[in-house]
């Protein structure tokens, strides 16, 4: 079988090597497409592929149309909003993700971004400390829990909202349960977003929630830019000179926000939460193992469709 690893944002060499070893040890061939300019190159590369590993690369109906042999696509990572799941199903392609494999990297970055903003983007201006501040975690899944636990070690007070967890489960994972998004935003000095981009979450964080945050609050987004209502964000920042926004997923209007609000807003040039050698290895090797298992035993653990 031909396993295509297609990553516009390439994995670390150690991850590519590890994927190759797993794929070849199982008798398959690895094809590699990195830093490709657009969908046309991906469409050409998938023509012979039996399996596909991607990161945030978009797997659209058009890509699937161009992949007549494709049987499985694995998103090496957590969020799968880049996979057209109904189209995968219509094409008879099994879609999977690798949940949890890159969570630590994202959680560490969320903490790093909080410190970066608290310490005035490492300028000599007087900053503030995280100790004693209240951190709200929106969705207490793999990443959210790690953020909560690491922040607790820094002396922050953790509260979390997660509609899929009971109060007992949230408490057992070290946070105070909060029961509404309004309560979460209104009570959090730092708010770390870990919700997926779904029809019901896209644009769900806007003016009302952001402007309800306490004085001096910072909103931290290492999830997806789409969950933010950018107009609402801009309006809240305009009206509240004490609020800050930091992200590893730059808003579309980032240039305007920087121009207007300067260092109260910061976004990394590329989505980089999961961009560590360790996370690349964890997610990449998990994806390769899932593909080998699928071909060898029909295992469909982590199937999404
Ligand atoms: C994820 O959903 O796993 C993260 O956002 C990482 O995405 P990336 O593989 O594009 O870095």
């Amino acid at each position: 079988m031909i396993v295509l690893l297609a990553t516009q944002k390439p994995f670390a060499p150690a991850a590519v090597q590890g994927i190759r070893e797993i794929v070849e040890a199982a008798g398959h061939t690895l094809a590699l497409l990195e830093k490709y300019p657009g969908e046309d190159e991906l469409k050409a590369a998938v023509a012979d592929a039996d399996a596909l590993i991607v990161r945030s690369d978009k797997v659209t109906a058009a890509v699937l149309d161009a992949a007549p042999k494709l049987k499985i696509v694995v998103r090496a990572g957590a969020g799968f909003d880049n996979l057209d799941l109904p189209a995968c199903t219509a094409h008879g392609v099994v879609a999977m993700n690798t949940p949890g494999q890159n969570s630590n990297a994202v959680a560490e970055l969320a903490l790093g971004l909080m410190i970066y903003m608290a310490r005035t983007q490492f300028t000599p201006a007087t900053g503030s400390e995280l100790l004693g501040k209240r951190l709200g975690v929106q969705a207490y899944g793999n990443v959210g829990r790690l953020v909560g636990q690491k922040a607790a070690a820094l002396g922050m007070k953790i509260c979390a909202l997660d509609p899929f967890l009971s109060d007992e489960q949230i408490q057992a994972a070290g946070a105070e349960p909060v029961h509404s998004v309004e309560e979460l935003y209104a009570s959090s000095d730092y708010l770390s977003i870990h919700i997926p981009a779904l029809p019901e979450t896209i644009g769900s964080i806007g003016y009302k929630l952001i402007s309800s945050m306490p004085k001096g609050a910072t909103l931290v987004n290492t999830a997806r830019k789409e969950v933010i209502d950018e107009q609402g964000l801009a309006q809240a920042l305009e009206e509240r000179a004490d609020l800050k926004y930091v992200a590893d997923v730059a808003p579309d209007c980032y240039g305007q926000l920087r121009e207007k609000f300067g260092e109260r807003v910061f976004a990394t040039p590329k989505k980089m939460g999961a961009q560590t050698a360790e996370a690349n290895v964890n997610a990449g090797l998990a994806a390769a193992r899932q593909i080998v298992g699928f071909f060898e035993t029909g295992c469909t653990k982590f199937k999404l469709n």
Side-chain angles (χ1 to χ4, degrees):
M1 302 280 179
I2 295 177
V3 179
L4 173 66
L5 173 60
T7 50
Q8 273 188 315
K9 187 172 56 182
F11 274 144
V16 177
Q17 182 56 25
I19 292 168
R20 185 181 298 285
E21 282 167 14
I22 291 168
V23 166
E24 290 179 353
H28 308 303
T29 303
L30 185 75
L32 193 57
L33 177 71
E34 291 182 324
K35 292 186 187 169
Y36 59 94
E39 190 172 88
D40 285 348
E41 288 72 18
L42 180 57
K43 276 160 61 180
V46 291
D48 297 325
D50 299 282
L52 175 62
I53 301 174
V54 292
R55 297 186 65 179
S56 289
D57 309 73
K58 286 196 169 53
V59 179
T60 61
V63 170
L64 294 161
D65 283 342
K69 297 182 183 167
L70 196 66
K71 295 150 194 74
I72 176 168
V73 54
V74 181
R75 192 281 191 242
F80 48 88
D81 45 313
N82 55 318
L83 307 182
D84 185 334
L85 291 183
C88 286
T89 305
H91 285 78
V93 172
V94 168
M96 297 184 187
N97 65 347
T98 66
Q101 297 290 347
N102 57 19
S103 304
N104 188 67
V106 181
E108 285 189 11
L109 186 74
L111 264 298
L113 293 175
M114 285 182 219
I115 293 175
Y116 187 58
M117 295 307 273
R119 302 308 289 264
T120 64
Q121 298 188 28
F122 300 161
T123 65
T126 302
S128 59
E129 301 181 18
L130 300 186
L131 179 71
K133 304 293 189 306
R134 187 167 154 101
L135 169 67
V137 185
Q138 190 177 8
Y140 216 47
N142 289 318
V143 183
R145 281 174 204 216
L146 285 169
V147 171
Q149 287 157 8
K150 289 174 197 299
L154 296 176
M156 298 186 86
K157 297 174 214 151
I158 317 303
C159 60
L161 173 73
D162 193 310
F164 300 103
L165 298 177
S166 66
D167 284 4
E168 291 70 29
Q169 286 170 316
I170 291 177
Q171 276 157 348
E176 174 200 326
V178 164
H179 300 106
S180 73
V181 72
E182 288 78 15
E183 185 189 347
L184 188 75
Y185 275 73
S187 64
S188 298
D189 300 307
Y190 287 82
L191 192 307
S192 197
I193 304 169
H194 301 290
I195 54 174
L198 299 170
E200 58 271 30
T201 62
I202 288 173
S204 64
I205 300 164
Y207 173 75
K208 219 171 144 207
L209 288 177
I210 300 168
S211 60
S212 78
M213 294 180 78
K215 190 168 167 36
T218 301
L219 182 57
V220 185
N221 185 5
T222 54
R224 291 289 182 271
K225 70 172 180 174
E226 290 83 0
V227 300
I228 301 288
D229 163 9
E230 294 191 8
Q231 263 195 331
L233 170 67
Q235 195 188 336
L237 289 168
E238 176 87 59
E239 288 179 17
R240 291 271 309 274
D242 58 304
L243 292 181
K244 294 179 189 165
Y245 181 71
V246 64
D248 83 330
V249 281
D252 292 333
C253 64
Y254 183 49
Q256 289 143 266
L257 293 182
R258 278 292 284 197
E259 213 170 280
K260 265 191 143 168
F261 308 115
E263 290 177 355
R264 289 165 53 210
V265 179
F266 175 77
T268 58
K270 265 199 175 174
K271 182 162 78 145
M272 57 169 287
Q275 195 63 342
T276 65
E278 293 90 338
N280 286 182
V281 167
N282 291 342
L285 272 55
R289 288 193 188 105
Q290 286 171 217
I291 286 171
V292 168
F294 174 76
F295 286 134
E296 272 175 12
T297 66
C299 178
T300 52
K301 195 173 173 196
F302 304 122
K303 186 171 182 274
L304 300 164
N305 60 338

